[in-house]
Amino acid sequence: MTARIGVVTFPGSLDDRDTQRAIKLAGADPVALWHKDKDLKQVDAVVLPGGFSYGDYLRAGAISRFSPVMETVIEQAKSGMPVLGICNGFQVLTEAHLLPGAMLGNNHLHFICRDQKLRVENAETSWTADYESGQEIHIPLKNMDGRYVADERTLDMLEAEGRVAFRYVDVNPNGSLRDIAGITNEAGNVVGLMPHPEHAVEPLVGSGRTDGLPFFTSILKKLVTA
């Protein structure tokens, strides 16, 4: 039986179709989920895609966090369902308190779009198992509110528990504290990442690299062996 991975569409989502394509390329069945529907349609995992949900009013992800679908996503994530938040999805995960910290505007106050080098710090989560710890990859980055912040106690906790999943290398593009590009929850089933792996899954489109595909093959193998 093929794994089913849901992709939530909020008003203002931009990368939901790209994420569905990446899931299909990895060998799973993408399932479209609507923000007003609490039913997750019996999916095995969920991706919250990038974009500007609800126009990023109040704060990026602040309104989406209260969408009906998030009530079920939060409940299922706490029960162990794998959830990946990409860019705006990462922002939603922090607003929903599934991940600690917050996302603020880039320190240079400009939207940024670039191919970004990352280092894999944790290759043991549900979404990173097909990488190797210390591996350097290139993933497209595009955001306005991508600066990850948290208090020193939270940052020290993330470092001590190995919950920094990805770190920016060479250039910190948005002022994120300790060069953090992505984090995971304690159980490793919830991961938030600011760059966009769905734009690096095949050589002919996007960045021309496939460095992002292991996100989606990792979760597929996790679900098949679970």
Side-chain angles (χ1 to χ4, degrees), residues 3 5 13 18 38 40 46 53 63 74 79 96 101 109 121 126-127 134 154 176 180 186 189 192 204 207 210:
I5 302 177
S13 292
D18 303 79
K38 291 184 179 181
L40 297 185
V46 169
S53 61
I63 298 177
I74 292 170
S79 297
L109 303 181
E121 302 283 16
S126 298
W127 299 92
T154 298
S176 291
I180 291 174
E186 187 176 3
N189 64 302
L204 294 180
S207 69
T210 59

Side-chain angles (χ1 to χ4, degrees):
M1 183 176 179
T2 306
R4 292 163 51 85
I5 302 177
V7 180
V8 178
T9 297
F10 300 99
S13 292
L14 300 178
D15 302 292
D16 43 348
R17 295 294 183 89
D18 303 79
T19 303
Q20 290 176 28
R21 178 174 176 79
I23 290 167
K24 189 172 183 179
L25 285 171
D29 286 340
V31 178
L33 301 175
W34 185 235
H35 70 111
K36 287 188 176 181
D37 191 354
K38 291 184 179 181
D39 183 8
L40 297 185
K41 301 181 181 179
Q42 297 181 316
V43 297
D44 303 297
V46 169
V47 180
L48 306 180
F52 298 91
S53 61
Y54 291 93
D56 279 350
Y57 289 115
L58 298 181
R59 291 183 308 277
I63 298 177
S64 298
R65 175 263 179 273
F66 292 101
S67 292
V69 71
M70 286 304 298
E71 181 179 328
T72 313
V73 169
I74 292 170
E75 176 184 320
Q76 293 298 312
K78 290 180 178 179
S79 297
M81 173 181 280
V83 177
L84 174 65
I86 302 170
C87 194
N88 188 230
F90 187 7
Q91 295 160 346
V92 174
L93 290 177
T94 60
E95 291 287 340
H97 304 297
L98 287 174
L99 292 175
M103 311 301 302
L104 299 181
N106 297 341
N107 61 345
H108 44 71
L109 303 181
H110 295 287
F111 181 87
I112 188 169
C113 182
R114 55 171 292 153
D115 199 20
Q116 177 68 45
K117 183 189 286 189
L118 306 176
R119 183 170 60 248
V120 181
E121 302 283 16
N122 185 334
E124 297 181 2
T125 78
S126 298
W127 299 92
T128 61
D130 268 0
Y131 292 109
E132 295 182 3
S133 181
Q135 181 179 349
E136 293 187 352
I137 60 177
H138 289 80
I139 302 290
L141 174 75
K142 50 175 186 171
N143 63 71
M144 182 68 189
D145 299 293
R147 177 163 54 110
Y148 180 77
V149 299
D151 59 63
E152 286 297 313
R153 181 178 179 181
T154 298
L155 292 170
D156 289 343
M157 177 268 293
L158 291 173
E159 300 276 13
E161 296 181 1
R163 291 172 53 188
V164 176
F166 295 89
R167 217 180 294 268
Y168 296 116
V169 176
D170 294 341
V171 175
N172 184 325
N174 45 38
S176 291
L177 297 181
R178 303 195 188 182
D179 299 327
I180 291 174
I183 61 174
T184 180
N185 68 341
E186 187 176 3
N189 64 302
V190 179
V191 170
L193 177 76
M194 188 47 56
H196 289 259
E198 76 279 10
H199 294 320
V201 293
E202 50 189 335
L204 294 180
V205 297
S207 69
R209 300 174 182 268
T210 59
D211 290 9
L213 190 59
F215 274 90
F216 306 101
T217 57
S218 292
I219 189 58
L220 181 57
K221 290 179 180 178
K222 168 72 175 178
L223 295 172
V224 169
T225 60

